[in-house]
């Protein structure tokens, strides 16, 4: 399945899912040092939409502490590809995949 | 086992199960870019019926926040095939397999 | 161990176990389309008897929401064979193996 | 280690353990149909003694709902052999291994 | 590491650990039937000392229901060898490894 | 993805994540004894920033007991590389990866 | 990473971690019986410092029931090597790795 990039806003994530637009960054630092790839190298992306949060077994809601527009750092292998064109790529990731925000 | 497509309404999912009719979409975007398949590519489907929700160990019911008629995005490998004919395909999936709705 | 088919009523399932009589259905739809077997193909069966339900660690009972006589759809590989003759087959399955009822 | 069959009464199971005497049954039905062994084929046995039940993390006791003298149906590979002679075989099994009683 | 057999009393097990002296028994019954070893064959041992019991996550203590001097039946592969000489063998086992007592 | 070393302060870890600057130490002791590498050899690093702590299923916050500026000892294979240049290396690690502080 | 043996006191374990100085003991008993190594052979060590204890998900602290100066018996493969010289070896282990104390 794939969704048109310009239809991405029609996806409303549920539970602790988050739609992010991937902000590509070359894997070498500005002074040309290629990151040793033995360690996982995280991704950066902008939040397009967030789910309502996850319900515990007893039905209690744990909201997501992230908002639309924030830039987040998340796992290299995280998420599901839902839309892509020449210039942009969108993923569905989970809140648990996020390490931090980039301000 | 297989069920006649026109008998699909006779299936009443229990717990957090959901019956969906798969809405097939070609795997390339409108401008012909084939999605790189290394990542999982989710499916889209319309909800036919939802279970009552899952009971916790202590018997507390956690209802499903999805309704009949909604279009959902869910995992590529999710679910069990329960009915199929030339033009349609029905799966039994779990609420946990759903990433979001498509409105 | 095997039990005579006509002694099946002597089995009283405990906890969340259920005795079902398997209702065999050919794997192709009426118009001869063979179900692609890559996906799991669930089974259909009639409930003969249900256990009292499962006790949580703290001793609280979570009853089974299914009754004798209901037809259920359950996992292809679920259950234990307890009795069989030329025309019928009986399994012990768990409530968690059931996807839904067929009404 | 092995225990004399006539000393079996000296074993007091703890927690959710149960001592059973295995009641052997040939694996074919009376009309000679050999059970297809692809599925697990459960065992039948008579309860000799039951443990007091299992304590939860918080120390709450969950008693066993089975009694001495009942005949139970349990998993083919369940349990530990503790005593055996020419005519009888005794196992230590867990309550969770039991599918149902045979009345 | 090994501890002198005559220093075994200096070991104070913590949590749900138990020190046992293994009571060896030949693996054949008195009438010479060698136990089929396909099943696990449990061990028998005398309790030398027991730990105070295990604390749950919330700090609640679940005491051990076994006492010094009792003879217990426990798993064949359970425990850690802590002391041994020509005539005796001592193990550190966990309460969860014990199936029952032998009275 | 990689972040400029001088932008490291823009990363705000979430949940129980921590940004550390790795303080490299040769693997041999001052008197030249090379540590046998069969055991894991932990890393040392200075805390740059800590997340707010992790929320339990019921939404209760468990704060991190570590602060910016503390030097911590953590697992050899822990963490994700997020920034590096000729003289410094920054990782995102989890609180659970930390063994202790070095004062 | 390695720490000077004379700096070992600068390590403050967190959560349920414990710093121990390993007290080596030959693997044979005084009368020369080599311990059969098929079973795990635990280690003995003196406690140098203990962490504050582990916080449960709900933030409740479960303190460690062990103190500086006690000699403990712990798993053969437990822990992380943090400092070593010709005559001494220090490990970081977890409370769960400890079987008992040696008094």
């Amino acid at each position: 399945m794939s969704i048109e990039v310009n239809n991405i806003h029609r996806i409303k994530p549920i539970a602790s899912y988050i739609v992010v637009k991937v902000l590509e960054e070359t894997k070498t630092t500005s002074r040309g040092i290629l990151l040793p790839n033995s360690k996982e190298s995280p991704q950066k992306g902008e939040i397009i939409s967030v789910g309502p949060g996850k319900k515990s077994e007893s039905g209690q809601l744990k909201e997501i502490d992230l908002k639309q527009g924030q830039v987040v750092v998340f796992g290299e292998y995280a998420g599901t590809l839902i839309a892509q064109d020449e210039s942009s790529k969108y993923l569905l990731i989970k809140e648990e995949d996020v390490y931090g925000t980039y301000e």
Side-chain angles (χ1 to χ4, degrees), chain A residues 42-54:
Chain A
Q43 303 185 66
K44 210 160 64 165
E46 183 192 338
I47 293 182
I48 302 301
S49 53
V50 295
K54 212 169 159 184

Side-chain angles (χ1 to χ4, degrees), chain A residues 15 21 57 95 98:
Chain A
K21 178 179 178 184
E57 274 231 7
E95 183 187 19
V98 176

Side-chain angles (χ1 to χ4, degrees), chain A residues 20-72:
Chain A
V20 293
K21 178 179 178 184
V22 179
L23 306 177
E24 288 300 344
E25 294 227 283
T26 62
K27 285 213 172 179
T28 63
T29 64
S30 60
R31 268 143 291 168
I33 298 163
L34 195 65
L35 276 188
N37 286 352
S38 59
K39 286 254 183 200
E40 182 223 359
S41 146
Q43 303 185 66
K44 210 160 64 165
E46 183 192 338
I47 293 182
I48 302 301
S49 53
V50 295
K54 212 169 159 184
K55 271 193 195 169
S56 71
E57 274 231 7
S58 58
Q60 196 156 359
L61 184 67
K62 191 175 95 173
E63 293 186 6
I64 294 182
D65 294 333
L66 297 164
K67 308 192 293 299
Q68 186 183 2
Q70 281 187 305
V71 173
V72 286

Side-chain angles (χ1 to χ4, degrees), chain A residues 67-88:
Chain A
K67 308 192 293 299
Q68 186 183 2
Q70 281 187 305
V71 173
V72 286
V73 176
F74 56 95
E76 178 168 7
Y77 307 108
T80 295
L81 180 67
I82 40 166
Q84 183 175 21
D85 64 16
E86 299 80 359
S87 63
S88 58

